[in-house]
Amino acid sequence: MTVTEDRATGDTEDSGPTAEVGRARLRKEDRRLITGRTRYTDSMALPGMHHLAMVRSPFAHARITGLETSAARAADGVVAVLTGADVADVQGSLPNAWPIVPEQKAPGHPSIAIDKVNFAGEIVAVVIARTPAEARDAAELVDVDYDDLPPVLDLARAAADEQVIHDDLGTNVSAHFVHDSAQAGTGEDVDAAIEAARADGVVIERTLRQNRLIPAFMEPRSFVCDPTGDQLVLWSATQIPHILRLMLALTLGISESKLRVVAPDVGGGFGGKLQVTPEEVVTVLAAQRIGKPVKYTETRSESMVSAHHGRDQVQKLTLAATRDGRMTGFKVELLADMGAYLALIGGGVPALGAFMFNGIYKIPAYRFDLTTVFTNKTWTDAYRGAGRPEATFAIERMVDELAVEVGIEPMELRRLNWITAEEFPFTTVSGLEYDTGNYEAATDKALEMFGYDELRAEQRRRREAGDPVQLGIGISTFTEMCGLAPSRVLGSLAYGAGGWENASIRMLPTGKVEVVTGTSSHGQGHETAWSQIVADRLGIPFEDIEVLHGDTQVSPRGLDTYGSRSLVVGGAAVLKAADKVIEKARAVAAHLLEADAGDLDFGAGRFTVRGTDQGVGLTDLALAVFAAHNLPDDFEPSIDADATYDPVNFSFPHGTHLAAMEVDTETGEVSIRKYVCVDDVGTIVNPLIVEGQVHGGLVQGIAQALYEDAVYDDQGTLVSGSFVDYLVPSAADLPSFDTAHTETPSVTNQLGAKGVGEAGTIASTPAIVNGVLDAVRHLGVRDIEMPLSPHRVWQALAGRSVGEAAVPDAIGPEVVASDLNSSGNPTGQSDRSAR
Ligand code: MCN
């Protein structure tokens, strides 16, 4: 791959129309974003627009016994106050689109609570006023009486149904989902494998915790609804305008054709804006109620408690192996916290892990057993990686534990067990077919860049010398399934939609091109990447291509952006539409050149009659078709094409991440000395975008390992509900990353590409934790619960029981009340240390 970009200007050495794919183009969208010349939802101002303020419950679990709104209604500027009772007949129930098992339980979820609240932050009333300040002031005047109930916070206790949150469900367990390789016919019996290993092999058992994370996107959620036209228009800082329109139509009983959803530029989402939120419903209801446009923009504090959270699992893991280190079985038992309600794809997120816990390894027997549970906390749903980081963390941690147990160097142990390059395509024990991969190549490159042997030698020296700052090397060799997804597979998993994507391309009379995509970029640079794909295929200059998206009026068909699907599904649809454009134009070219269409070659934007120098360019054809003076009979005068692409398989990026971690054994402070990653995302469309995606992804994965944790007190109040307590790392906390790529093209899409949007997040968390443990394991530390704050590391080193050892058996019917505190941490461990 050659990067020919002048990074300062975005100009390229060769402005010819070819070889755009692979070029490190600066992003088209950046100029307007960086110079502030864009419109985010909160910048919208419509005539007569009113503003909303939410009254939210301070209690995690309480009955509403009184709600007095008269003072608020009488306040300056207030035009209405809505309570749950006021909208009970119209607000419907927020949707869950993924029943992972037919008997999955989902409680009714009113956008405005009616008689009971189930998490701190739930909306109990909404004030509509002329200005945001008047709305906020009046919200203070709403008087709510609560009869508080004991909050259900501990996952194990919740699963044991000691106290049930939703009376109508009769249990806190939402679903029990099992994926067993023996039953599925993709592997052997896992219990037999474990039994055999107990008799003559090794069995590693661990209980690990996935900390609860808050997506913390830069732009808070914001919504504007205009009910004054023929259509109801909702501007939303969402990553799913199409899904949102469908779901709102279903929830509120509005015809889709009467509802337009616009996602203007959106400042990040990370899965956190893959939701149909109470705030969106409330904004629509408020606008309809007063017949005027209304706006709601959340504060950061509101965002932290009410936008969905991610992760939050207890993982009970049993890995069986032979004494010489070959894995023979892996049993995964999960408790996953859904929070108070079932979010849009809440149950499906941990279930996605079912296919990924086996990682890159050939494991003959496997069982995945998931229990999803309600607690009185903020609901959980997709957060960057969604199900795959949890799985990757588990398997990569366990592989390291196995390496210690059998005394094999951890990278060697991986080589012993992974799928080799010759073995692709490979059907895994969980039933996926990995199309292509080359773990050896990525690993060899990473080891060399890292200076693995030298660092191991240094580690030995420092260990022998008793250096107070110990060095550890963390490895994560990962793959993931992204590019969601083949519609048939989604159907078999009972997901509520397909996985196709739509694109259309219009040749304009001047030879410029409009590309309409159903993906909804919110930081990923689709306008640039899609332009590169079309420029290459059609031979039209990059600058002459305009990409339109994020408005259901402009782009009526689409399934939006999540699951690192946009390039491999949406980009593939763009490519398909471009090919249709070429075929349509070919008929006109043949007519004008008086040649047989089969005798025309197309390249660099031009049709030529094979064996001659006669030809015509696509740009000239566009004008000729517009003029329509001389077209083939029955030719409709346009060179437009619409294409829908449904992938035939997921996409399986992979890579090797290596972290050199330094741990101060006196203070518990951890620092990353070096981070090397070699990712294989197949063909790369834009190396600069990919670099940015890897960097951003790494930061979020490292943040889970070292910094971020949504901590609740024993009353169910989120105590890390601001950026003072919820430690989103800054650039100063992180080293420079050494990144590189191998390119093993996917064979399941024409681009040869694999997704990259989540790869860094998925891979980096276990690399960091493995590195820290590698530094201190010889001092007697078996595990440290994430995030690895200096306090926790110091406690582990001081011999105080932390992490795995302190987590009781929290899985299965024999669930017992535990000594975990309300945040799911071992008692006394919930306090956070400063960085
Ligand atoms: N790309 C490429 N070559 C490849 C793979 C990808 O050039 N082989 C480019 C694509 O053209 C696209 C970008 O990389 O411009 C990301 O592509 P893809 O992997 O298809 O991911 P999506 O565009 O579908 O983005 C979703 C993904 C997810 S799931 C989360 S979460 C996430 C992420 O992207 N959230 C983000 N990256 C984010 N980046 C920003 N700035 N903000 C977020 O909220």
Side-chain angles (χ1 to χ4, degrees):
M1 170 205 336
T2 325
V3 176
T4 52
E5 181 86 6
D6 174 342
R7 293 195 175 202
T9 63
D11 293 340
T12 51
E13 282 170 17
D14 167 16
S15 61
T18 54
E20 279 291 342
V21 169
R23 178 173 289 187
R25 282 275 188 190
L26 288 181
R27 299 193 311 182
K28 281 186 168 185
E29 39 280 82
D30 283 354
R31 189 177 296 270
R32 69 172 190 272
L33 295 173
I34 292 168
T35 58
R37 289 201 188 110
T38 190
R39 232 170 30 155
Y40 292 105
T41 304
D42 189 50
S43 350
M44 301 272 312
L46 298 177
M49 189 167 78
H50 282 59
H51 298 267
L52 305 184
M54 307 295 169
V55 179
R56 295 179 184 273
S57 167
F59 291 100
H61 198 194
R63 294 200 188 282
I64 300 170
T65 52
L67 190 50
E68 182 50 59
T69 59
S70 50
R73 285 180 208 271
D76 278 353
V78 172
V79 296
V81 177
L82 301 181
T83 64
D86 294 332
V87 296
D89 52 341
V90 287
Q91 67 174 336
S93 179
L94 287 158
N96 170 262
W98 200 342
I100 54 170
V101 288
E103 53 284 358
Q104 172 174 274
K105 292 190 166 56
H109 188 179
S111 292
I112 307 178
I114 298 175
D115 48 16
K116 186 168 178 259
V117 289
N118 294 308
F119 71 96
E122 188 161 3
I123 300 169
V124 291
V126 182
V127 177
I128 313 171
R130 280 179 321 208
T131 67
E134 286 169 334
R136 276 196 299 271
D137 285 351
E140 299 280 316
L141 303 174
V142 174
D143 198 6
V144 191
D145 290 330
Y146 297 96
D147 194 356
D148 61 321
L149 299 162
V152 179
L153 302 167
D154 179 300
L155 204 45
R157 285 186 182 152
D161 282 338
E162 280 180 15
Q163 192 195 340
V164 171
I165 298 170
H166 300 287
D167 297 336
D168 50 334
L169 301 186
T171 173
N172 295 321
V173 173
S174 174
H176 184 217
F177 174 93
V178 175
H179 184 67
D180 186 296
S181 67
Q183 282 164 18
T186 52
E188 297 159 15
D189 182 78
V190 81
D191 288 324
I194 293 168
E195 216 170 291
R198 281 197 206 285
D200 183 24
V202 292
V203 176
I204 312 285
E205 291 172 281
R206 291 285 184 279
T207 302
L208 306 178
R209 179 172 172 261
Q210 279 283 322
N211 36 334
R212 181 179 265 256
L213 302 179
I214 301 177
F217 28 76
M218 198 182 290
E219 180 204 12
R221 295 171 308 158
S222 179
F223 316 105
V224 172
C225 182
D226 182 359
T228 58
D230 288 344
Q231 269 186 323
L232 198 74
V233 186
L234 177 69
W235 287 266
S236 171
T238 181
Q239 51 186 97
I240 51 161
H242 298 91
I243 295 174
L244 180 59
R245 180 171 77 149
L246 173 64
M247 289 297 163
L248 280 179
L250 291 171
T251 305
L252 297 175
I254 304 169
S255 160
E256 278 159 281
S257 60
K258 291 284 178 207
L259 182 59
R260 173 180 173 192
V261 175
V262 186
D265 276 321
V266 174
F270 310 112
K273 291 175 181 169
L274 196 187
Q275 197 55 261
V276 180
T277 66
E279 290 80 1
E280 275 153 335
V281 170
V282 164
T283 304
V284 173
L285 293 177
Q288 285 178 319
R289 189 59 64 110
I290 67 166
K292 293 189 175 129
V294 298
K295 181 198 281 183
Y296 170 70
T297 301
E298 67 186 0
T299 62
R300 180 60 62 182
S301 307
E302 287 182 295
S303 185
M304 303 290 270
V305 292
S306 64
H308 72 244
H309 296 174
R311 316 278 195 264
D312 206 343
Q313 291 183 355
V314 176
Q315 310 177 318
K316 186 179 171 191
L317 309 166
T318 312
L319 180 64
T322 59
R323 284 188 206 285
D324 59 2
R326 284 188 196 275
M327 293 185 240
T328 53
F330 193 26
K331 186 163 156 183
V332 175
E333 295 161 277
L334 296 184
L335 276 185
D337 192 344
M338 298 290 96
Y341 297 100
L342 210 50
L344 186 64
I345 54 167
V349 165
L352 268 180
F355 304 95
M356 287 276 72
F357 273 85
N358 46 287
I360 64 169
Y361 306 107
K362 292 176 282 189
I363 307 177
Y366 171 67
R367 183 178 163 92
F368 173 91
D369 187 315
L370 163 70
T371 306
T372 55
V373 182
F374 296 114
T375 60
N376 289 119
K377 296 183 189 172
T378 300
W379 57 354
T380 62
D381 205 319
Y383 174 55
R384 204 167 193 172
R388 293 96 85 207
E390 296 91 322
T392 304
F393 180 77
I395 183 67
E396 288 302 302
R397 282 281 299 105
M398 292 299 274
V399 170
D400 260 26
E401 296 301 316
L402 176 62
V404 173
E405 188 70 26
V406 295
I408 298 178
E409 205 281 333
M411 192 57 96
E412 283 317 304
L413 189 89
R414 285 171 168 84
R415 284 184 195 276
L416 196 65
N417 285 283
W418 74 33
I419 302 156
T420 61
E422 309 79 57
E423 288 172 312
F424 288 93
F426 186 91
T427 302
T428 71
V429 72
S430 64
L432 292 178
E433 187 183 280
Y434 293 175
D435 62 338
T436 59
N438 189 335
Y439 308 143
E440 294 88 335
T443 300
D444 291 348
K445 193 164 180 172
L447 291 177
E448 197 191 320
M449 286 167 63
F450 192 65
Y452 189 81
D453 293 339
E454 295 79 359
L455 280 165
R456 282 278 181 222
E458 180 185 332
Q459 178 185 37
R460 273 193 298 277
R461 281 198 304 277
R462 286 166 68 170
R463 211 173 264 185
E464 280 156 19
D467 191 333
V469 180
Q470 287 289 311
L471 178 66
I473 294 172
I475 303 173
S476 166
T477 48
F478 84 105
T479 188
E480 60 126 338
M481 58 189 283
C482 62
L484 305 183
S487 296
R488 279 189 196 160
V489 176
L490 291 178
S492 71
L493 296 172
Y495 181 69
W500 48 264
E501 196 46 82
N502 181 260
S504 49
I505 296 183
R506 296 193 282 265
M507 288 288 312
L508 303 178
T510 53
K512 312 261 191 233
V513 174
E514 257 176 11
V515 178
V516 178
T517 176
T519 65
S520 191
S521 185
H522 47 283
Q524 295 88 349
H526 297 171
E527 290 169 39
T528 304
W530 288 196
S531 297
Q532 291 178 269
I533 293 169
V534 173
D536 257 8
R537 202 59 151 205
L538 296 186
I540 300 284
F542 172 84
E543 300 75 16
D544 290 346
I545 298 161
E546 185 82 18
V547 177
L548 308 174
H549 64 94
D551 180 342
T552 59
Q553 190 97 310
V554 174
S555 148
R557 275 162 46 78
L559 285 170
D560 309 319
T561 287
Y562 49 88
S564 302
R565 67 187 304 270
S566 300
L567 179 62
V568 299
V569 190
V574 167
L575 195 67
K576 194 171 168 185
D579 285 342
K580 285 188 174 179
V581 160
I582 293 167
E583 286 322 302
K584 210 162 174 193
R586 186 185 298 276
V588 188
H591 177 75
L592 295 180
L593 294 167
E594 296 178 353
D596 195 285
D599 291 338
L600 298 185
D601 289 331
F602 181 75
R606 202 174 159 75
F607 288 98
T608 47
V609 182
R610 201 166 302 127
T612 74
D613 58 359
Q614 273 193 309
V616 59
L618 201 51
T619 308
D620 295 333
L621 287 172
L623 189 61
V625 167
F626 171 72
H629 296 161
N630 180 15
L631 295 181
D633 290 344
D634 299 331
F635 187 91
E636 292 174 16
S638 77
I639 316 183
D640 301 350
D642 184 74
T644 298
Y645 177 74
D646 199 337
V648 294
N649 195 355
F650 296 94
S651 140
F652 302 103
H654 68 82
T656 296
H657 288 223
L658 299 171
M661 303 298 300
E662 292 195 324
V663 181
D664 187 325
T665 57
E666 289 168 355
T667 64
E669 195 163 349
V670 166
S671 60
I672 308 173
R673 167 149 146 215
K674 189 170 191 176
Y675 196 99
V676 165
C677 61
V678 177
D679 285 290
D680 194 320
V681 296
T683 306
I684 291 176
V685 172
N686 185 321
L688 209 51
I689 294 179
V690 165
E691 185 78 356
Q693 287 295 318
V694 171
H695 277 232
L698 290 178
V699 173
Q700 285 178 306
I702 292 169
Q704 172 170 19
L706 296 182
Y707 303 118
E708 296 183 11
D709 199 7
V711 178
Y712 285 82
D713 69 11
D714 58 9
Q715 293 305 306
T717 305
L718 179 69
V719 293
S720 55
S722 80
F723 282 159
V724 174
D725 311 289
Y726 189 83
L727 302 180
V728 176
S730 74
D733 297 307
L734 299 157
S736 278
F737 303 123
D738 294 330
T739 65
H741 295 274
T742 51
E743 285 195 24
T744 314
S746 168
V747 292
T748 62
N749 65 76
Q750 273 201 44
L751 291 161
K754 305 174 182 185
V756 73
E758 297 157 290
T761 307
I762 293 168
S764 55
T765 312
I768 297 294
V769 176
N770 278 343
V772 172
L773 290 171
D774 188 52
V776 295
R777 192 178 273 109
H778 67 289
L779 301 174
V781 178
R782 256 161 65 100
D783 193 17
I784 310 172
E785 201 175 281
M786 294 189 290
L788 276 55
S789 63
H791 188 197
R792 283 188 177 160
V793 175
W794 178 81
Q795 281 184 307
L797 285 161
R800 288 165 178 80
S801 159
V802 289
E804 185 270 327
V807 178
D809 185 350
I811 312 284
E814 70 281 10
V815 160
V816 290
S818 73
D819 61 350
L820 297 182
N821 68 13
S822 58
S823 65
N825 294 322
T827 310
Q829 296 293 311
S830 66
D831 48 340
R832 302 170 58 82
S833 313
R835 258 178 245 175

